[in-house]
Amino acid sequence: MTITQEAPLQAPSRTPTHNQASLIVHGRDRTGIVAAVGSVLSKHEANIVSLDQYSDNPHGGAFFQRTVFGLDNLKAALPHIDDDLKARLGTGFELEFRLRDLSIPHRVAIFASKADHCLLDLLWRHRRGELPITVAMVISNHPDTAGEVRAFGIPFFHVPSAGPDKSAAEAQHLALLKGNVDFIVLARYMQILSGGFIAEVGVPIINIHHSFLPAFIGAGPYARAKERGVKLVGATAHYVTEDLDEGPIIEQDVVRVSHAHTVADLRRRGADVERDVLSRAVLWHSEDRVIRHENHTIVFA
Ligand SMILES: Nc1nc2c(c(=O)[nH]1)N[C@@H](CN(C=O)c1ccc(C(=O)N[C@@H](CCC(=O)O)C(=O)O)cc1)CN2
């Protein structure tokens, strides 16, 4: 009997984004913004691939816009487009903007503790080409996942972080992270980050909280959900702020549960939701689809 080695399934390739850039514009709404952005892109003969926008008050509130455009000589043109946007939007408008070459993946550090389901799900999706990121490293306060992470060819750093004083651990984190990553993902990392660390690291931090916030903030949400007799459990991906689990929500989802489910059942059913919610949040952030505004987000998914 001959055993043939099936060719590995080709990872689903994401829509090619070579020679494409995203432009995020947000600020005070007024007439003329769309025309101003369009005139700059038109000057550079950029082809608008997609455009999403939202105003939170048609009579002059906040304005949010995401444009994806293509250009053959994108890398050479981007600095000139940036200069022209600064000139065009810099007078008469109260706006911020950011340009990003979509062919350049974000560099990401993933933090984890003992639970491995969200961490491994991200690494597996990354290996399949589903997430346009480069996983620069994994940092964990436990050694448990070292072997699995290294099997993906990704550096793993065990940085213990027990007790109330996290300063030594955070100093090690900063030494690894500063200038080396574009954003951080807490994949069920069970340590509270200090405000000083969040400010010092200076990049967005995405956390997956294992409840449908604002319910069950903090530790042990599944046990508290069982105690409360909930009929849904869920997960919330949010940006991390100093206030525990209070940061701007990026994505959420839920799954039905019943009185017959144990806490272990809730954890198992919730874990699937955590994985899906976190991966969508990481994808949307890595494609520059999320705009933070006050304690909310606008997501052009
Ligand atoms: N500054 C912030 N840090 C963290 C946030 C956040 O929103 N702001 N999210 C948490 C994740 N998390 C729930 O999703 C969470 C993690 C840890 C705890 C907690 O009570 N941790 C204890 C130690 C627990 C342990 O060692 O097992 C502690 O740090 O003292 C609550 C909620 C990640 N960090």
Side-chain angles (χ1 to χ4, degrees):
M1 175 183 74
T2 56
I3 296 173
T4 54
Q5 170 65 38
E6 289 294 322
L9 283 176
Q10 285 301 315
S13 62
R14 298 194 51 70
T15 309
T17 56
H18 51 272
N19 287 335
Q20 288 190 4
S22 63
L23 168 60
I24 299 290
V25 177
H26 63 104
R28 176 174 293 280
D29 196 5
R30 54 148 282 189
T31 55
I33 300 174
V34 176
V37 170
S39 68
V40 170
L41 296 180
S42 170
K43 172 188 173 187
H44 291 273
E45 297 182 353
N47 173 47
I48 292 178
V49 175
S50 68
L51 189 154
D52 295 280
Q53 68 182 61
Y54 164 72
S55 300
D56 70 0
N57 178 342
H59 305 292
F63 172 89
F64 309 89
Q65 183 188 67
R66 177 183 187 265
T67 306
V68 174
F69 61 88
L71 203 53
D72 288 341
N73 61 333
L74 181 78
K75 291 193 188 307
L78 272 182
H80 303 293
I81 294 173
D82 189 70
D83 289 343
D84 285 348
L85 287 167
K86 281 183 183 130
R88 189 71 183 77
L89 302 181
T91 50
F93 296 99
E94 296 173 70
L95 294 170
E96 297 175 45
F97 75 89
R98 62 179 188 258
L99 275 168
R100 182 169 185 86
D101 180 343
L102 291 176
S103 68
I104 300 173
H106 284 82
R107 287 179 57 82
V108 185
I110 304 175
F111 280 58
S113 290
K114 285 195 171 187
D116 61 2
H117 56 288
C118 288
L119 166 65
L120 295 180
D121 182 75
L122 288 176
L123 298 185
W124 181 72
R125 290 175 191 268
H126 171 251
R127 186 169 63 184
R128 285 172 52 81
E130 294 176 12
L131 295 174
I133 60 175
T134 297
V135 181
M137 68 189 80
V138 169
I139 295 174
S140 178
N141 57 321
H142 294 280
D144 304 49
T145 55
E148 288 167 298
V149 169
R150 289 173 178 145
F152 281 88
I154 291 170
F156 177 93
F157 298 95
H158 174 211
V159 181
S161 174
D165 182 0
K166 321 273 185 183
S167 56
E170 291 186 342
Q172 291 185 65
H173 295 157
L174 288 169
L176 290 165
L177 296 167
K178 283 286 280 184
N180 197 10
V181 295
D182 297 307
F183 71 94
I184 295 167
V185 177
L186 305 185
R188 290 296 304 278
Y189 183 67
M190 300 311 290
Q191 294 299 307
I192 298 174
L193 305 180
S194 70
F197 172 82
I198 295 168
E200 181 67 24
V201 77
V203 297
I205 304 171
I206 296 173
N207 178 58
I208 183 69
H209 180 67
H210 38 317
S211 82
F212 187 73
L213 290 176
F216 308 122
I217 281 178
Y222 288 124
R224 288 184 283 148
K226 176 65 181 174
E227 179 60 30
R228 184 67 184 80
V230 301
K231 303 307 179 185
L232 295 169
V233 293
T236 302
H238 63 92
Y239 289 112
V240 168
T241 63
E242 190 168 0
D243 301 322
L244 186 63
D245 299 331
E246 298 272 6
I249 291 171
I250 305 167
E251 173 61 329
Q252 297 184 287
D253 206 346
V254 295
V255 64
R256 296 201 65 80
V257 294
S258 80
H259 60 279
H261 287 129
T262 66
V263 175
D265 293 330
L266 300 190
R267 286 200 182 96
R268 255 192 304 279
R269 294 172 73 83
D272 289 338
V273 184
E274 293 168 45
R275 283 193 287 251
D276 280 351
V277 166
L278 181 57
S279 61
R280 286 200 296 269
V282 170
L283 175 62
W284 293 342
H285 183 90
S286 61
E287 291 181 335
D288 213 11
R289 293 179 179 275
V290 187
I291 305 174
R292 289 176 67 158
H293 178 64
E294 295 165 356
N295 200 37
H296 297 161
T297 64
I298 289 82
V299 181
F300 290 124

